[in-house]
Amino acid sequence: MLFGCASQALAQVEVGGAVSVTRDSETTGIAAVAWQPYWRDAWNGQLRWDIGAMYVFGRDDTRLDLDEDVVVAHGGLRWEHASGFTAGFGAGLQVGHTDALSGNPQFVSTVGWRWDRFALLARHISNASIKQPNDGETMLMATWRF
C-alpha cells in the first residue's frame, strides 16, 4: 500500500532543464522540478497543481548584475488540453537577487506542448514591474514527467 502511494506521487513529478535569456541576450541554464498532482477535468483537458522550484544559474562576465544564482519557489495551476497544448500560471518567492529577478513576488507563466511524459515549454518569470529593474527570465524548457 505504501509503495503504491509513493509510486503514484512520484508519477506526478516533472523535472526539466532550460536555456534562459534576459536583457542584452544574456543566457544561462535553469534546472526545475515540480510536483503536478491532478486536480480536476476542465475544458476538454486536466487541471493540475504546479508546485515547484527553478534554479537560475548566475552569469559571469556581463555588464548587468546577473552573477548571483537565484531560486524561485512557486505554486499555481497548469492546464493540459487533450491535444497536448498546455498553459499555466503561478506565483512564487525568490532567494537571491539579479537585475533579471529583482524582488518578490515573482510570477511564472507557461505555454507549450506535451507528448505523453515529455513537454517542450516556453516559460517566463517576472515580478510584473513591482520592483525595478524588471528584466525577467524567458526560457525554452524541456521536461520529463515521471
Side-chain angles (χ1 to χ4, degrees):
M1 175 74 174
L2 181 60
F3 179 73
C5 291
S7 177
Q8 184 179 19
L10 182 60
Q12 301 168 44
V13 173
E14 180 179 79
V15 296
V19 174
S20 181
V21 66
T22 192
R23 184 169 33 124
D24 292 346
S25 299
E26 295 288 347
T27 60
T28 193
I30 293 185
V33 62
W35 182 49
Q36 298 173 331
Y38 168 84
W39 178 34
R40 58 187 280 183
D41 291 333
W43 308 290
N44 199 25
Q46 293 183 349
L47 279 174
R48 293 178 170 271
W49 296 106
D50 186 8
I51 302 161
M54 287 186 269
Y55 188 91
V56 181
F57 292 91
R59 301 158 172 96
D60 291 330
D61 301 325
T62 175
R63 69 175 186 80
L64 303 172
D65 177 16
L66 300 171
D67 59 338
E68 190 172 343
D69 296 346
V70 177
V71 174
V72 178
H74 62 88
L77 286 175
R78 178 91 57 95
W79 175 66
E80 297 175 354
H81 190 263
S83 68
F85 176 77
T86 184
F89 185 78
L93 299 173
Q94 76 180 63
V95 175
H97 182 278
T98 66
D99 281 350
L101 300 173
S102 59
N104 290 310
Q106 292 292 329
F107 301 100
V108 179
S109 54
T110 304
V111 64
W113 207 266
R114 175 170 296 287
W115 298 271
D116 193 28
R117 294 179 181 270
F118 176 75
L120 195 57
L121 308 168
R123 300 189 86 178
H124 182 72
I125 308 170
S126 173
N127 68 14
S129 294
I130 293 171
K131 185 172 182 182
Q132 295 294 332
N134 181 45
D135 296 332
E137 295 282 357
T138 302
M139 68 204 73
L140 181 61
M141 179 173 281
T143 66
W144 185 264
R145 185 180 290 156
F146 291 92

